[in-house]
Amino acid sequence: MGKYAKYWYTLIGVLIVTFSLLGYYGVEVYRTAPPIPGKVLVEGSDKPLYTEESILDGQTAWQSTGGMQLGSILGHGAYQAPDWTADWLHRELTAWLELAAQKDYGKTFADLDVGQQAVLRDRLKTEYRSNTFDKAADTMTITPLRAQAIAETAKYYDKLFGDDPSLRKSRESFAMKENTLPSAERRAQMAGFFFWTAWAAATERPADVGGGSGATYTNNWPHEPLIGNVPTGENMVWSIMSVVIMMAGVGFLVWGWAFLRKHDEQEPTPPAHDPLSRVQLTPSQRSLGKYLFLVVALFCTQVFLGGFTAHYTVEGQEFYGINVSQWFPYALVRTWHLQAALFWIATGFLAAGLFLAPVINGGKDPKYQKLGVDVLFWALVVVCVGSFIGNYLTIAHVMPQEWNFWLGHQGYEYVDLGRLWQIGKFAGIAFWLVLMARAIFPALLAPNGQDKNLLALLTSSVVCIGLFYGAGLFYGERTHISVMEYWRWWVVHLWVEGFFEVFATTALAFIFSTLGLVSYRMATAASLASASLFMLGGVPGTFHHLYFAGTTTPVMAVGASFSALEVVPLVVLGHEAWEHWRLQHKTEWMRKLRWPLMCFVAVAFWNMLGAGVFGFMINPPISLYYIQGLNTTPVHAHAALFGVYGFLALGFTLLVLRYVRPELQLNERLMKTGFWWLNAGLVLMMFTSLLPIGLFQFHASVTHGLWYARSEEFMQQPFLETLRWVRTFGDLVFITGALCVSWQVASGVLFGARTPAEPSGNLVGARR
């Protein structure tokens, strides 16, 4: 550790504390998850309305429709169809009121006077918030009136997910294909699952499992005035605390950053020639061209699927008048859109690591490294194609239902691929770890007296990327959805936003120090400090996705407090962007790295705006209470996923292309168009469509409830439909930019010069 001991001890301390919190409250998630009763009984009857098995069967039925890719559950999922939890709850409540009005007064609820309506609303609130689950008997008891309301609501869902002509217009509004779930038995089971999630959202949590404050199992989410589902006091307290913590963190960072900048050492003088271009390419590095081609092929596929998916929000079953939903429904193309993004971004990161491996190893390939690189590439292709086919067969209901989870579609956003393909992806990432380790560890362990702290941090991030994806294997097809959400966000949040962030930061620091553009000492210190900041907010910040997923108030407190700190390191990204921009002017040969550097500048900008501003917009509990599941969420998702990780992957791709095709001259006009149109398209997509729609939904959610903000009545208003049409312009601009960059990379890989520069000895690893 040497002179970096304080940085290492800080990072190790941060990891011990944060993972202890993540583990401790993870155990609490298991212990306090809303119970799935063994039997749901109607008063006076021994025949169960639902059982634990039938509710879990309903969960698998919902997964087979695309799950979170068609509407959402507990606020997580897609945005065009309703949130099924909020929608079921409101429909059941209004059905209960109508039935009670007819039974007690012989009138419709609307025809009752104000006093009579108030009496029924009070009864409704008491009945629905009361917890009738008997833990000892493992049963839940409901009134006959509620059973009737459930039956009426289930009848609506049977029609909606079938092909009943009376609801065809609704299916079109929700971007659902006809006969979404063909089996009537499976539709009935799915209704039981929707009922159970609504029960958890309406029923007060008992004291022995973290309750006692009058909050429901989902912390009073969703907003539903009919039964008093409003933000809890704890929600307000921790929302304010998160803002205070964020401001304090920013203040400390600014002072600390100013101190560090004051004590910066003098910048090194860049070498006269690019050090990496004077080292002969190894066979494994030459074979990386196909990885770069796969990156842009999947990138183009993803952006076209994105445009296709967006169009479904205005023509729910058609594409400019052609009914394509029976073959390629919204749930399927949205699945492919997200999975393609994850595949191409991951491939870009893997390619960057494989390029660096021989550089770290003194310019040499370990034995059989090229074979390993080739095997990994074709394994990625097989997993990608196989998972896409499995997605199609599941949503088309061609695959036997018992195979859906394993070979088809898990139903969970971002981890949609079947479990077998997920295992294959994990095996591929683990194999990448092996390929990296074979090159890195000899250099790391060599007794040559060189400073290896930066290399040690890079090695640690590589190991974490290789292993932590396995967290997604800790749940199964019939795992409780609250428990599943805990592990899913280990992958979506912790693996991507945590370890990939550290890897990217460290890899760039290693590259720039190797090129002689920044001092090794400052690169190491900055990387270690950044890693501590990322992990301090990022690890326990995972819980901010679980505020309303059936967790308790302490989980909300930890998630709100630490996730507020995720914003802190993003404050100085403006300076980071300037530093990256300035690098291209430090020496003449850096002009060849202009466009990779521009991508890294874009990363800094979008990290600040997408992850920082838009991320914090939906981060405090009081904010997320109202806007979870609205179009404000994809604003953050697009700006962070593509703006940060997409541009990082493109930057890595262009960087690797520069060295594996050393004589290639990038087309300046093509790259300028591609880069700026990608950024402009992303801005237009968000500010002319997604954000305005989200803000209108936000107002509707606050004034009426989430059910209304996601309802057909609200979403199909002409001005909102116009805003969705307006997005087409931004999509076209973005697609144009994507095609320009992709053509540059693809043509460079296929037709670029392949002759490496003359070797001039091994100067990789020399410490300055």
Side-chain angles (χ1 to χ4, degrees), residues 2 115-116 187 191 207 639-640 642 694 710 718:
Q116 292 169 331
R187 293 198 294 269
F642 177 76
R710 291 278 296 274

Side-chain angles (χ1 to χ4, degrees), residues 84-86 88-89 92 146 193-203:
W84 305 120
T85 302
W88 177 288
L89 178 60
E92 186 186 326
R146 185 170 185 180
F193 173 62
F194 290 168
F195 154 74
W196 173 79
T197 65
W199 172 83
T203 305

Side-chain angles (χ1 to χ4, degrees), residues 547-589:
Y547 292 156
F548 313 117
T551 57
T552 55
T553 297
V555 170
M556 179 189 292
V558 171
S561 301
F562 282 90
S563 62
L565 294 173
E566 292 184 84
V567 179
V568 172
L570 308 181
V571 171
V572 295
L573 286 177
H575 184 269
E576 182 181 327
W578 164 250
E579 289 292 319
H580 285 154
W581 167 262
R582 199 167 57 88
L583 287 175
Q584 65 180 303
H585 303 293
K586 293 188 73 171
T587 181
E588 183 63 29
W589 56 264

Side-chain angles (χ1 to χ4, degrees), residues 230-432:
V230 295
T232 62
E234 293 87 349
N235 184 312
M236 298 296 294
V237 167
W238 289 108
S239 295
I240 294 171
M241 288 301 299
S242 72
V243 175
V244 172
I245 291 169
M246 184 269 289
M247 294 176 67
V250 168
F252 281 118
L253 178 67
V254 169
W255 280 99
W257 177 76
F259 176 80
L260 288 174
R261 297 302 300 173
K262 184 178 179 180
H263 291 81
D264 269 1
E265 61 186 49
Q266 186 176 357
E267 292 183 356
T269 302
H273 302 282
D274 183 347
L276 288 180
S277 68
R278 300 172 68 82
V279 178
Q280 189 168 15
L281 290 171
T282 68
S284 73
Q285 288 175 318
R286 287 195 184 94
S287 68
L288 291 175
K290 54 183 172 288
Y291 280 78
L292 309 185
F293 185 85
L294 181 62
V295 167
V296 294
L298 285 171
F299 179 36
C300 285
T301 301
Q302 188 232 339
V303 297
F304 277 108
L305 286 168
F308 192 1
T309 304
H311 189 78
Y312 267 136
T313 66
V314 290
E315 286 189 280
Q317 297 179 333
E318 298 179 344
F319 187 75
Y320 293 101
I322 302 172
N323 190 335
V324 292
S325 65
Q326 291 304 304
W327 300 281
F328 302 104
Y330 173 88
L332 177 65
V333 295
R334 190 176 189 273
T335 297
W336 284 349
H337 172 62
L338 282 178
Q339 286 303 302
L342 297 178
F343 274 115
W344 77 258
I345 290 172
T347 302
F349 275 72
L350 298 186
L354 293 171
F355 174 77
L356 284 178
V359 174
I360 295 167
N361 195 39
K364 303 186 296 293
D365 272 342
K367 196 173 183 179
Y368 303 120
Q369 183 79 349
K370 181 183 182 300
L371 176 62
V373 169
D374 292 340
V375 169
L376 176 59
F377 173 80
W378 291 110
L380 284 171
V381 172
V382 169
V383 169
C384 183
V385 173
S387 66
F388 275 37
I389 293 172
N391 295 153
Y392 176 86
L393 295 176
T394 293
I395 293 177
H397 298 283
V398 173
M399 185 176 288
Q401 67 182 52
E402 61 271 16
W403 294 2
N404 284 340
F405 182 84
W406 283 92
L407 292 175
H409 200 302
Q410 291 190 35
Y412 298 130
E413 194 176 28
Y414 297 105
V415 284
D416 307 90
L417 69 175
R419 176 53 57 87
L420 181 65
W421 308 115
Q422 187 184 16
I423 292 172
K425 188 174 181 180
F426 176 54
I429 295 168
F431 185 55
W432 173 78

Side-chain angles (χ1 to χ4, degrees), residues 90-161:
H90 188 75
R91 288 181 184 279
E92 186 186 326
L93 294 176
T94 53
W96 188 98
L97 288 171
E98 286 298 333
L99 290 167
Q102 290 289 346
K103 179 183 176 184
D104 293 357
Y105 303 104
K107 300 178 181 179
T108 65
F109 183 75
D111 290 334
L112 300 181
D113 61 41
V114 174
Q116 292 169 331
Q117 288 184 347
V119 169
L120 290 186
R121 283 200 182 101
D122 187 62
R123 280 179 51 197
L124 175 78
K125 180 178 178 180
T126 300
E127 180 170 335
Y128 273 77
R129 295 189 72 87
S130 298
N131 196 328
T132 60
F133 175 68
D134 185 334
K135 186 176 181 180
D138 196 21
T139 60
M140 177 210 305
T141 305
I142 61 173
T143 64
L145 186 62
R146 185 170 185 180
Q148 284 183 267
I150 291 169
E152 287 201 7
T153 309
K155 189 182 299 182
Y156 165 81
Y157 277 92
D158 180 69
K159 292 179 180 179
L160 181 66
F161 280 82

